[in-house]
Amino acid sequence: RGWDDNDQRGCSVKFGEDVVHKFLRKHGLQMIVRAHQLVQNGYEFFFNGRLVSLFSAPDYHGTHYNHGAIMSISATGDTSFITLPSKGRRH
């Protein structure tokens, strides 16, 4: 809940579901799309689908076996993803 220092990275903050819902209500939005947090499958939903983390770099830095993803949002708000597969090997 709320805001907190991100001890893992040392250069950012963490926020809870309450912060996400408050931000969405205040700005009349349905979802937050954020980037640059490595997620294994290229994208991952949090907080009942109200926040999605999107990561477009498969096999990040040659040290992770992760997929990347590209997100599309239709005019009606429907989301879809194209997954960029991991090559399954370190570079």
Side-chain angles (χ1 to χ4, degrees), residues 44-56:
E44 187 173 343
F45 286 98
F46 299 91
F47 308 138
N48 295 316
R50 296 299 189 179
L51 180 129
V52 62
S53 284
L54 187 64
F55 198 77
S56 61

Side-chain angles (χ1 to χ4, degrees), residues 11 14 19 21-23 27-29 34 41 46 54 73-74 87:
C11 63
K14 299 183 287 188
V19 173
H21 287 290
K22 182 178 178 182
F23 181 89
H27 296 286
L29 300 172
R34 65 176 302 274
N41 294 318
F46 299 91
L54 187 64
I73 304 172
S74 74
K87 298 204 186 311

Side-chain angles (χ1 to χ4, degrees), residues 2-89:
W3 297 90
D4 198 8
D5 291 333
N6 187 341
D7 297 331
Q8 292 177 323
R9 294 193 61 159
C11 63
S12 60
V13 295
K14 299 183 287 188
F15 50 88
E17 186 171 6
D18 58 325
V19 173
V20 169
H21 287 290
K22 182 178 178 182
F23 181 89
L24 293 172
R25 274 192 310 274
K26 179 178 179 180
H27 296 286
L29 300 172
Q30 295 178 10
M31 178 190 293
I32 297 170
V33 180
R34 65 176 302 274
H36 202 69
Q37 174 184 336
L38 193 148
V39 288
Q40 196 60 38
N41 294 318
Y43 66 96
E44 187 173 343
F45 286 98
F46 299 91
F47 308 138
N48 295 316
R50 296 299 189 179
L51 180 129
V52 62
S53 284
L54 187 64
F55 198 77
S56 61
D59 299 323
Y60 184 62
H61 276 239
T63 58
H64 296 83
Y65 298 123
N66 66 288
H67 300 299
I70 299 169
M71 179 180 178
S72 293
I73 304 172
S74 74
T76 59
D78 294 325
T79 58
S80 62
F81 296 87
I82 297 170
T83 301
L84 309 170
S86 167
K87 298 204 186 311
R89 58 179 164 77

